[in-house]
Amino acid sequence: MSTVKEAVEVEVPVSVAYNQWTQFEEFPKFMEGVEEIRQVDDRHNHWTTKIGGVKREFDTEIVDQFPDERITWRTTSGDTRQKGTVSFQRLDDTRTRVQLMMDVEPTGVAEKAADLTGTIDRRVKGDMKRFKEYMEQGGGASGSWRGRITPG
């Protein structure tokens, strides 16, 4: 299993950055290779990705969500195995540090090759950079979900 970490400082208040991250169905706008995310309910999402010509579908479950602080998830089924946390740190009234930490277990030949060559790490770094640009150019969150999900 590989661990990927990346952080960006975003020129928006913490609540705006957090609110946008709860809009999972909009991830394809800034995440390379993510074709679609369908939110099933408050805890569950179905992902469709296509990376290097390989299409994967998998389901995720949010296991911990605390508004303006963190969202933690894990995969529950499908072709991909991962877990991670995105955390939000208020720097001041207009800036937020968004940090993503993921553990990814490559499952297929293409994923294993991508892991060995650093492609997964570069992709996550690019996604975080695109999230920063998306937020700073858009000026605000397209929606929000401020519910609390507790582990267990």
Side-chain angles (χ1 to χ4, degrees):
M1 189 166 280
S2 295
T3 299
V4 180
K5 260 190 213 184
E6 182 64 14
V8 292
E9 287 187 16
V10 183
E11 299 287 330
V12 297
V14 68
S15 62
V16 174
Y18 172 84
N19 287 348
Q20 185 59 49
W21 202 279
T22 67
Q23 302 306 293
F24 305 108
E25 292 181 348
E26 295 202 16
F27 281 12
K29 293 181 178 178
F30 60 87
M31 286 189 175
E32 185 180 355
V34 177
E35 289 190 336
E36 178 185 32
I37 299 176
R38 184 174 38 86
Q39 190 162 356
V40 178
D41 58 33
D42 291 342
R43 280 188 182 265
H44 300 94
N45 293 293
H46 181 79
W47 292 62
T48 303
T49 62
K50 190 171 186 180
I51 299 171
V54 178
K55 187 173 183 172
R56 298 278 190 226
E57 292 195 37
F58 57 95
D59 296 309
T60 58
E61 174 186 32
I62 296 172
V63 294
D64 184 24
Q65 185 166 338
F66 193 89
D68 296 342
E69 287 189 20
R70 71 185 168 275
I71 301 171
T72 301
W73 75 93
R74 66 182 178 96
T75 54
T76 58
S77 67
D79 301 326
T80 300
R81 291 185 190 96
Q82 62 173 256
K83 61 183 177 178
T85 298
V86 61
S87 59
F88 305 85
Q89 178 186 9
R90 180 188 180 277
L91 299 174
D92 59 34
D93 288 346
T94 62
R95 292 181 312 125
T96 303
R97 178 180 170 86
V98 182
Q99 181 171 330
L100 178 66
M101 187 174 80
M102 288 177 49
D103 291 325
V104 180
E105 184 177 332
T107 53
V109 173
E111 291 86 353
K112 289 177 183 177
D115 186 40
L116 289 173
T117 61
T119 302
I120 293 173
D121 189 64
R122 284 190 302 277
R123 180 159 300 209
V124 169
K125 288 179 182 343
D127 289 345
M128 293 298 287
K129 180 181 176 188
R130 284 184 293 278
F131 176 73
K132 173 184 172 60
E133 293 166 355
Y134 181 76
M135 291 306 303
E136 292 176 355
Q137 292 171 2
S142 62
S144 68
W145 188 80
R146 311 257 331 147
R148 174 75 169 111
I149 295 175
T150 57

